[in-house]
C-alpha cells in the first residue's frame, strides 16, 4: 500500500507536469474543439433532416464519433507522453541519481507511467460534461458510457506500459518513440488490415456448403484491435457479425481484456527488471 499512495516520483512528476500553464491551455483547446464538434454535428444533422429536434439514433452516432475521437487521442498521444519517461532521464544524466534514491524500481516505473498518463486521464474526465450533452437527447445507456471509458482506460494503460518498456530498453528518446508508435500502429491499423485479409481468404475458401470454416486467427485479430472492440461495444450487431464470420463464439471484449492486461503486466515487469540491469554488473 505504501508503494501505491506514497510515491515521490509520481508526486514530483505530477507537480512538474501540471505546474506549467501549457497543460491547462491544452485542456481548454481540447474541450473547445469537442464542443465545436458536438454543436456543429447537432446543427448540421438538424439542417440536413429538416427537423427542429435531435433524434436518439443520431445521438448514438454522435456518441460513436466522440468515442472514436477519444480512442484516437489515447492511441496517438500516449506514446508521446510515455516513450521518453526513462530515456529522457538517461539523456539528461539524471537517471543514476534517481536510481541511488531509496525508491524501488517498481516505484520509479509506476510513478513515471501514472504521471505520464495522468494528463490523458484528465482530458478524458474533463470531457464528461461534453458527453452529458449526448444523454440529453437519449439513445445512450449509462452502461455504454461506462464500457467505453473502462476500455479507454485499459487501452491507455497498455499503450503507456509499452512506451515505458521501450523507454527503459532504448537509450534514445526518438528511437523509443518511433518503436512505441510502431507498436501502436501495428495494434490499431495492421491488425485491422490483416483481419480484412483473413476474412476475405476464409470466404474465398468457402465452398458454399455448410457453415463458414472456423477462423481463430481472424477472431484473435479482431480481439486485439481497439477500433473493432469499440465498434462491437457501440453496435452489438457488429460483435454477432464477427462471431458469424469467424465461427468463434468467444466474446471479443474478453479477449481484448486478457490481451491488453497481459501486455500491461508483462511490459511493466520487464521495465522493472531492466531498469537497473547495468548496475548489477558492478555488484
Amino acid at each position: 500500500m505504501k508503494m501505491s499512495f506514497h510515491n515521490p516520483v509520481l508526486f514530483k512528476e505530477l507537480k512538474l507536469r501540471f505546474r506549467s500553464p501549457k497543460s491547462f491551455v491544452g485542456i481548454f483547446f481540447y474541450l473547445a474543439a469537442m464542443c465545436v464538434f458536438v454543436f456543429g454535428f447537432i446543427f448540421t444533422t438538424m439542417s440536413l433532416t429538416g427537423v427542429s429536434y435531435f433524434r436518439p439514433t443520431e445521438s448514438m452516432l454522435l456518441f460513436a464519433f466522440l468515442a472514436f475521437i477519444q480512442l484516437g487521442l489515447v492511441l496517438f498521444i500516449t506514446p508521446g507522453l510515455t516513450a521518453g519517461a526513462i530515456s529522457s532521464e538517461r539523456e539528461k544524466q539524471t537517471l543514476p541519481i534517481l536510481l541511488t534514491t531509496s525508491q524501488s524500481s517498481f516505484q520509479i516505473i509506476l510513478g513515471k507511467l501514472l504521471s505520464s498518463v495522468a494528463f490523458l486521464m484528465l482530458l478524458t474526465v474533463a470531457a464528461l460534461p461534453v458527453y452529458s450533452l449526448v444523454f440529453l437527447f437519449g439513445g445512450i445507456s449509462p452502461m455504454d458510457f461506462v464500457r467505453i471509458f473502462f476500455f479507454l482506460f485499459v487501452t491507455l494503460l497498455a499503450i503507456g506500459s509499452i512506451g515505458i518498456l521501450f523507454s527503459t530498453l532504448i537509450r534514445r528518446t526518438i528511437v523509443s518513440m518511433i518503436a512505441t508508435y510502431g507498436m501502436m500502429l501495428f495494434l490499431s491499423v495492421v491488425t485491422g488490415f490483416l483481419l480484412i485479409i483473413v476474412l476475405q481468404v476464409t470466404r474465398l475458401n468457402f465452398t458454399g456448403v455448410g457453415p463458414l470454416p472456423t477462423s481463430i486467427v481472424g477472431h484473435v485479430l479482431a480481439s486485439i484491435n481497439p477500433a473493432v472492440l469499440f465498434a462491437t461495444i457501440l453496435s452489438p450487431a457488429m460483435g454477432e457479425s464477427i462471431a458469424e464470420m469467424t465461427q468463434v463464439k468467444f466474446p471479443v471484449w474478453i479477449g481484448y481484456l486478457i490481451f491488453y492486461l497481459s501486455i500491461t503486466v508483462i511490459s511493466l515487469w520487464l521495465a522493472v527488471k531492466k531498469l537497473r540491469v547495468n548496475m548489477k554488473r558492478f555488484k
Side-chain angles (χ1 to χ4, degrees), residues 172-187:
R172 300 294 299 275
T173 299
I174 296 298
V175 181
S176 172
M177 194 172 297
I178 292 173
T180 307
Y181 272 107
M183 180 62 70
M184 181 275 299
L185 290 174
F186 173 79
L187 294 174

Side-chain angles (χ1 to χ4, degrees), residues 27-270:
I27 294 174
F28 171 77
F29 281 106
Y30 170 71
L31 294 179
M34 291 279 284
C35 290
V36 169
F37 173 79
V38 169
F39 287 109
F41 183 89
I42 292 174
F43 286 117
T44 301
T45 304
M46 290 172 59
S47 62
L48 290 177
T49 55
V51 296
S52 58
Y53 57 88
F54 197 62
R55 300 171 183 172
T57 55
E58 297 162 349
S59 178
M60 183 63 188
L61 182 60
L62 175 59
F63 179 73
F65 274 121
L66 290 176
F68 277 99
I69 287 175
Q70 288 215 303
L71 176 62
L73 178 78
V74 167
L75 293 177
F76 286 96
I77 296 185
T78 304
L81 294 176
T82 58
I86 303 297
S87 59
S88 62
E89 295 280 354
R90 188 181 291 113
E91 290 175 345
K92 292 184 293 186
Q93 298 182 355
T94 55
L95 182 60
I97 301 175
L98 184 61
L99 294 178
T100 56
T101 62
S102 60
Q103 305 302 305
S104 64
S105 297
F106 178 74
Q107 283 181 300
I108 295 173
I109 293 296
L110 185 63
K112 289 289 187 178
L113 173 64
L114 295 182
S115 63
S116 297
V117 304
F119 181 68
L120 277 175
M121 288 301 301
L122 181 59
L123 283 178
T124 303
V125 174
L128 292 180
V130 180
Y131 276 91
S132 66
L133 295 174
V134 182
F135 283 95
L136 294 176
F137 302 100
I140 306 297
S141 68
M143 284 307 300
D144 292 332
F145 185 77
V146 171
R147 290 191 195 99
I148 287 295
F149 274 84
F150 173 73
F151 283 103
L152 271 176
F153 180 71
V154 171
T155 308
L156 176 62
L157 277 183
I159 300 297
S161 300
I162 293 173
I164 290 291
L165 175 60
F166 283 125
S167 182
T168 305
L169 297 178
I170 302 174
R171 302 186 64 87
R172 300 294 299 275
T173 299
I174 296 298
V175 181
S176 172
M177 194 172 297
I178 292 173
T180 307
Y181 272 107
M183 180 62 70
M184 181 275 299
L185 290 174
F186 173 79
L187 294 174
S188 59
V189 178
V190 177
T191 55
F193 179 71
L194 293 176
L195 174 62
I196 295 174
I197 293 178
V198 169
L199 293 180
Q200 289 295 327
V201 171
T202 302
R203 286 187 174 275
L204 289 175
N205 294 333
F206 180 52
T207 60
V209 180
L212 286 170
T214 302
S215 178
I216 298 178
V217 175
H219 187 79
V220 170
L221 291 172
S223 298
I224 66 177
N225 187 282
V228 173
L229 172 78
F230 272 59
T232 58
I233 295 175
L234 296 170
S235 177
M238 176 66 71
E240 297 174 359
S241 176
I242 292 175
E244 181 181 354
M245 288 186 292
T246 60
Q247 292 297 305
V248 178
K249 303 303 180 182
F250 193 74
V252 171
W253 67 271
I254 296 180
Y256 190 90
L257 272 182
I258 294 174
F259 179 79
Y260 279 91
L261 289 180
S262 301
I263 287 291
T264 301
V265 173
I266 294 173
S267 297
L268 291 179
W269 180 77
L270 288 175

